[in-house]
Amino acid sequence: MGKIDPTSPVPKYFQLREILLDLIEDAELPVDAPIPSERELCQRYRLSRMTVRQAVDHLVTEGRLYRVPGKGTFVARPKIEMPLRLVSFTEDMRARGLEPGARDLDRRTTPANAHLARVFDVPPGTGVHVVERLRTADGEPMAVERSHIPLTVAPGLPDTPLSDASLYDVLETRFGIVFDAGEQTIEAGIADTADARLLDLARGSAVLLLQRRSFMNGTCVELAVSTYRADRYQLHSALEIPR
Ligand code: GLP
């Protein structure tokens, strides 16, 4: 069991935070298990209530613990690391041992406006198919994805049923599209009412807004504008040493 070192320059609340994180990592406090009460933590580690509360508050803000009013504080599931590779949602979920799913929200074909025409390098007015889907992992909503694909590269796409199928699989097998490059921006945002409802989030919850452009032979084939749950995803990246 970890101990608080009163002589350490590290603040006590931070030491308790580390101890609790160790217990979570070692699964001594498994997912959805209640953590000891404030009073128990005060006694066990000889800390003031304020210090204990500060440590727990930090872990709640970080998404490592969650509170249920009237019940206590529990261990949250670890967040999923956002892939920084050009993989499909289906591939990514399968690699994590989760069952990928998709619910069609909308399918429509619209004429490319000036922005889409520029992105896809097609004349304005060219048909662009929009696939809007709720993506799930083991049945839990994770993201709302809106993929835009010009009909110049996938003419029969509007008539192709997708339901649970992988869009990238369909693009490859039916239209010979194999992506060879991609770029992505990720920024913080607030879920709008519709996305919050679809994602099972309280109104005003934080989300991650993604824009991905996927290319084949230098041509942009997909522009995806997606909303991911910020309480389920985090970013992790290696850091390069500047030269
Ligand atoms: C990722 C990308 C989307 C892409 C999707 C395809 O989630 N961010 O841009 O549309 O994968 O996934 P799938 O092939 O499972 O439909």
Side-chain angles (χ1 to χ4, degrees):
M1 188 177 85
K3 275 212 172 91
I4 301 287
D5 176 0
T7 63
S8 161
V10 178
K12 291 201 183 99
Y13 84 88
F14 202 83
Q15 294 189 47
L16 178 60
R17 174 188 167 279
E18 300 282 290
I19 291 174
L20 290 172
L21 281 177
D22 279 348
L23 293 174
I24 293 172
E25 236 117 82
D26 298 344
E28 278 175 54
L29 283 176
V31 170
D32 290 330
I35 64 161
S37 67
E38 264 183 22
R39 181 197 300 252
E40 276 174 75
L41 290 172
C42 291
Q43 281 170 358
R44 195 185 297 176
Y45 297 104
R46 295 177 198 281
L47 293 170
S48 72
R49 244 175 204 244
M50 216 176 74
T51 305
V52 166
R53 202 162 294 163
Q54 204 179 355
V56 172
D57 280 352
H58 264 258
L59 290 168
V60 170
T61 312
E62 288 168 51
R64 303 303 302 261
L65 298 176
Y66 65 95
R67 286 201 174 96
V68 180
K71 293 238 161 71
T73 306
F74 301 82
V75 177
R77 283 165 304 165
K79 289 187 187 181
I80 291 178
E81 270 178 25
M82 184 79 75
L84 297 175
R85 286 166 298 123
L86 187 43
V87 287
S88 72
F89 184 87
T90 302
E91 276 177 276
D92 184 45
M93 288 304 134
R94 292 216 172 112
R96 298 170 195 281
L98 299 171
E99 186 52 38
R103 173 150 69 84
D104 273 359
L105 299 172
D106 192 24
R107 299 275 304 263
R108 61 183 185 276
T109 301
T110 59
N113 58 19
H115 170 67
L116 290 176
R118 214 171 318 116
V119 169
F120 295 123
D121 195 18
V122 293
T126 305
V128 173
H129 192 56
V130 185
V131 179
E132 202 173 315
R133 293 175 300 166
L134 176 69
R135 308 310 306 263
T136 59
D138 282 350
E140 184 191 16
M142 304 301 276
V144 179
E145 291 194 323
R146 298 174 180 94
S147 297
H148 305 66
I149 294 141
L151 292 185
T152 40
V153 295
L157 187 58
D159 306 317
T160 311
L162 276 176
S163 55
D164 251 3
S166 155
L167 173 65
Y168 281 9
D169 272 0
V170 168
L171 290 177
E172 181 170 350
T173 51
R174 288 233 17 208
F175 305 101
I177 295 167
V178 180
F179 295 115
D180 53 25
E183 55 183 56
Q184 188 160 281
T185 50
I186 302 171
E187 56 194 301
I190 299 291
D192 63 23
T193 318
D195 282 358
R197 193 171 309 131
L198 287 165
L199 294 171
D200 247 347
L201 295 172
R203 255 186 33 210
S205 295
V207 285
L208 294 169
L209 303 174
L210 264 82
Q211 283 221 26
R212 179 190 284 196
R213 294 179 193 204
S214 308
F215 299 82
M216 183 173 75
N217 300 330
T219 302
C220 181
V221 170
E222 185 203 28
L223 166 69
V225 181
S226 312
T227 306
Y228 275 69
R229 286 175 60 159
D231 62 334
R232 300 293 296 119
Y233 276 91
Q234 67 179 10
L235 281 162
H236 171 99
S237 66
L239 298 178
E240 283 173 18
I241 303 294
R243 286 174 207 283

